[in-house]
Amino acid sequence: MEAEPVPDGPPAADAGLRDELLRRMDRDQAVRTAAPPGSAWPAELLEEWRTVDIDNTAFLKSVIAERGWPGADMVGERAAQAAWLLVQHADLDPDFQRSCLPLLHAAVEAGHAQPSHLAYLIDRVHVAEGRPQLYGTQYGVREGVLGPQPVEDPEHLDERRASVGLEPHADYDRTMRELYE
């Protein structure tokens, strides 16, 4: 499950980059929703998914190298969300995901990115590194059962989630199970 869409806000300073980020987000989501939940993924679709992620990662790397993090000030709210989604799905390049943490953090501090996006990426990086996540956003299937990846200090999970604008974990868990079981 991904964060809720955010409104567009004022016109982006770079409409071409905005449009390309939105196009890439649409393609990312199309490939991820092509097979019904719970069904087997055909090999061709899995390869397309991989190709989309590799292409999007290379694109975002070049954007960041040339322009820095594409925050809302540069591309508008929806396209800033798209940039986050592309890095969130850059699982084949965990070093790149990790390198984006300080960039996204700075964008959040400047008001150009959503705190919840940073929370999702922090969790993604933690899980990839084999560490407990902080916000409970990342799920997986263990022994045939969908559930959250391990969480650090679960007693304070909802406090951390609230601090970045995420709903209580019980609500998120219910939504994840409705979507993927």
Side-chain angles (χ1 to χ4, degrees), residues 3 15 23 25 38 47 52 55 71 95 100 103 113 116 135 144 146 165 178:
R23 184 189 72 73
M25 179 174 67
E47 184 55 32
V52 166
D55 185 50
D95 291 337
C100 288
L103 303 174
S116 60
Y135 300 96
L146 177 72
E178 289 171 1

Side-chain angles (χ1 to χ4, degrees), residues 123 133-136 151-164 166-170:
D123 278 359
Q133 57 180 327
L134 299 177
Y135 300 96
V151 174
E152 182 176 308
D153 186 21
E155 297 78 29
H156 297 101
L157 175 60
D158 281 338
E159 292 169 33
R160 288 191 304 275
R161 289 177 64 84
S163 75
V164 295
L166 294 171
E167 71 270 274
H169 191 261

Side-chain angles (χ1 to χ4, degrees), residues 64-181:
I64 290 170
E66 292 173 22
R67 309 274 310 274
W69 183 261
D73 59 324
M74 183 188 305
V75 295
E77 293 290 332
R78 272 193 75 233
Q81 177 180 338
W84 158 75
L85 189 71
L86 299 186
V87 73
Q88 184 75 2
H89 291 161
D91 295 322
L92 296 172
D93 194 341
D95 291 337
F96 173 62
Q97 288 177 315
R98 189 177 316 100
S99 75
C100 288
L101 285 171
L103 303 174
L104 186 52
H105 184 265
V108 168
E109 290 293 313
H112 302 307
Q114 300 295 317
S116 60
H117 293 170
L118 180 58
Y120 271 84
L121 187 58
I122 288 169
D123 278 359
R124 195 75 158 222
V125 169
H126 278 219
V127 168
E129 293 174 345
R131 297 189 292 153
Q133 57 180 327
L134 299 177
Y135 300 96
T137 63
Q138 302 303 296
Y139 274 58
V141 176
R142 286 183 302 279
E143 298 178 16
V145 177
L146 177 72
Q149 298 290 345
V151 174
E152 182 176 308
D153 186 21
E155 297 78 29
H156 297 101
L157 175 60
D158 281 338
E159 292 169 33
R160 288 191 304 275
R161 289 177 64 84
S163 75
V164 295
L166 294 171
E167 71 270 274
H169 191 261
D171 295 344
Y172 182 72
D173 185 70
R174 189 171 26 260
T175 300
M176 290 296 288
R177 291 176 192 288
E178 289 171 1
L179 286 173
Y180 297 107
E181 286 186 335

Side-chain angles (χ1 to χ4, degrees), residues 1-50:
M1 164 124 192
E2 306 304 341
E4 292 293 317
V6 292
D8 281 329
D14 188 330
L17 179 55
R18 176 201 62 211
D19 293 347
E20 183 62 16
L21 284 163
L22 293 173
R23 184 189 72 73
R24 287 174 178 276
M25 179 174 67
D26 288 346
R27 187 168 177 227
D28 170 282
Q29 292 299 285
V31 73
R32 281 173 163 74
T33 58
S39 66
W41 284 72
E44 315 80 58
L45 191 54
L46 289 171
E47 184 55 32
E48 182 182 356
W49 181 326
R50 184 177 185 282

